[in-house]
Amino acid sequence: MRSVDIALSDNGKVDAVDYLKGFSIFTIALMHLIQMMSNVPSILNKLSAIGGTGVHVFFLCSGLGLYLSYLKKKTTFTQFLKKEIRENIHPLSNRCTCIIFRSMDV
């Protein structure tokens, strides 16, 4: 297997990937904004379709980031899952539970 050298910034991330993720987030937000507006010129409606592409690019960049993180740390799949559950899924489930209970008329 060949190794590929990727230029990393000072914080250990790939700058191009961060720029692509930022552009993707911008296009997604713009798409939602245009969808909420009425009387939008047809050219803007057609351009808002780029927001859908932004979702695909964002997922691609996120997957690349996970892969580069795996190459750097060389963890097993179970270690990866434990880390993701501890850092992402568990806090998210706590927030969702709080939001659900706060929205109920109890």
Side-chain angles (χ1 to χ4, degrees):
M1 182 183 283
R2 286 182 11 200
S3 67
V4 177
D5 292 328
I6 298 174
L8 301 176
S9 63
D10 293 336
N11 61 0
K13 295 186 177 187
V14 181
D15 285 336
V17 172
D18 286 342
Y19 292 131
L20 279 173
K21 285 197 298 189
F23 180 74
S24 299
I25 291 168
F26 174 75
T27 60
I28 294 166
L30 189 64
M31 178 189 71
H32 287 294
L33 179 67
I34 290 173
Q35 286 178 346
M36 290 176 17
M37 297 169 60
S38 60
N39 299 328
V40 176
S42 64
I43 187 73
L44 283 180
N45 268 335
K46 290 177 184 174
L47 285 175
S48 72
I50 295 173
T53 305
V55 173
H56 301 122
V57 172
F58 186 83
F59 277 116
L60 179 73
C61 291
S62 296
L64 178 63
L66 287 172
Y67 179 68
L68 292 175
S69 174
Y70 165 75
L71 288 179
K72 191 187 305 184
K73 296 178 184 171
K74 294 288 187 185
T75 61
T76 64
F77 184 67
T78 54
Q79 289 171 331
F80 170 76
L81 283 180
K82 286 179 185 177
K83 178 181 174 254
E84 289 299 310
I85 290 171
R86 184 179 63 247
E87 292 181 1
N88 297 320
I89 297 174
H90 183 68
L92 180 63
S93 65
N94 287 344
R95 287 185 191 106
C96 290
T97 303
C98 290
I99 290 170
I100 290 169
F101 281 123
R102 291 180 88 188
S103 65
M104 297 172 78
D105 292 330
V106 178

